[in-house]
Amino acid sequence: MAPVEDAVTGETPDREQAGHHLQELASGLERAGAPADAGATLIDALSRIAQWLGPLGAGVLALLGH
Protein backbone atom coordinates (compact mmCIF):
# COMPACT_ATOMS: atom_id res chain seq x y z
CA MET A 1 0.00 0.00 0.00
CA ALA A 2 3.04 2.26 -0.22
CA PRO A 3 1.85 3.91 -3.47
CA VAL A 4 -1.46 4.83 -1.81
CA GLU A 5 0.37 6.18 1.22
CA ASP A 6 2.70 8.20 -1.01
CA ALA A 7 -0.29 9.68 -2.84
CA VAL A 8 -2.06 10.84 0.34
CA THR A 9 0.79 11.94 2.60
CA GLY A 10 2.06 14.84 0.53
CA GLU A 11 1.31 18.47 1.20
CA THR A 12 -1.68 18.20 -1.13
CA PRO A 13 -3.11 14.64 -1.14
CA ASP A 14 -3.62 13.25 -4.64
CA ARG A 15 -6.95 11.45 -4.27
CA GLU A 16 -7.07 10.51 -7.95
CA GLN A 17 -3.69 8.75 -7.78
CA ALA A 18 -4.61 7.09 -4.47
CA GLY A 19 -7.88 5.89 -5.98
CA HIS A 20 -6.04 4.40 -8.95
CA HIS A 21 -3.63 2.46 -6.73
CA LEU A 22 -6.40 1.37 -4.39
CA GLN A 23 -8.45 0.09 -7.35
CA GLU A 24 -5.48 -1.96 -8.54
CA LEU A 25 -4.99 -3.43 -5.07
CA ALA A 26 -8.67 -4.33 -4.66
CA SER A 27 -8.77 -5.91 -8.12
CA GLY A 28 -5.69 -7.98 -7.35
CA LEU A 29 -7.20 -9.19 -4.08
CA GLU A 30 -10.42 -10.12 -5.83
CA ARG A 31 -8.52 -12.14 -8.45
CA ALA A 32 -6.40 -13.84 -5.78
CA GLY A 33 -9.33 -14.68 -3.51
CA ALA A 34 -7.80 -13.35 -0.27
CA PRO A 35 -8.27 -15.61 2.81
CA ALA A 36 -11.33 -14.70 4.92
CA ASP A 37 -9.52 -13.70 8.14
CA ALA A 38 -6.96 -11.46 6.51
CA GLY A 39 -9.48 -10.36 3.94
CA ALA A 40 -11.97 -9.01 6.50
CA THR A 41 -9.38 -6.74 8.11
CA LEU A 42 -8.02 -5.60 4.78
CA ILE A 43 -11.47 -5.00 3.32
CA ASP A 44 -12.34 -2.79 6.29
CA ALA A 45 -9.18 -0.71 5.76
CA LEU A 46 -9.73 -0.49 2.00
CA SER A 47 -13.35 0.53 2.53
CA ARG A 48 -12.34 3.37 4.84
CA ILE A 49 -9.79 4.68 2.37
CA ALA A 50 -12.27 4.37 -0.51
CA GLN A 51 -14.89 6.30 1.46
CA TRP A 52 -12.35 9.05 2.14
CA LEU A 53 -11.66 9.22 -1.60
CA GLY A 54 -15.34 9.91 -2.27
CA PRO A 55 -16.35 9.43 -5.92
CA LEU A 56 -12.82 8.27 -6.79
CA GLY A 57 -13.25 5.30 -4.43
CA ALA A 58 -16.66 4.21 -5.78
CA GLY A 59 -15.18 1.49 -7.98
CA VAL A 60 -13.27 0.03 -5.04
CA LEU A 61 -16.38 0.03 -2.87
CA ALA A 62 -18.27 -1.75 -5.65
CA LEU A 63 -15.56 -4.43 -5.87
CA LEU A 64 -15.74 -4.89 -2.11
CA GLY A 65 -19.52 -5.20 -2.18
CA HIS A 66 -20.17 -1.95 -0.30
Side-chain angles (χ1 to χ4, degrees):
M1 297 219 2
V4 174
E5 185 178 353
D6 291 344
V8 300
T9 57
E11 187 174 310
T12 304
D14 187 343
R15 290 179 187 230
E16 186 173 341
Q17 191 67 13
H20 171 74
H21 291 303
L22 193 61
Q23 181 77 36
E24 287 182 353
L25 176 61
S27 294
L29 290 172
E30 182 182 49
R31 286 189 306 273
D37 293 343
T41 301
L42 191 52
I43 287 171
D44 181 54
L46 292 173
S47 294
R48 289 173 191 235
I49 295 168
Q51 289 170 357
W52 176 78
L53 290 170
L56 296 170
V60 173
L61 291 172
L63 277 173
L64 299 174
H66 289 91

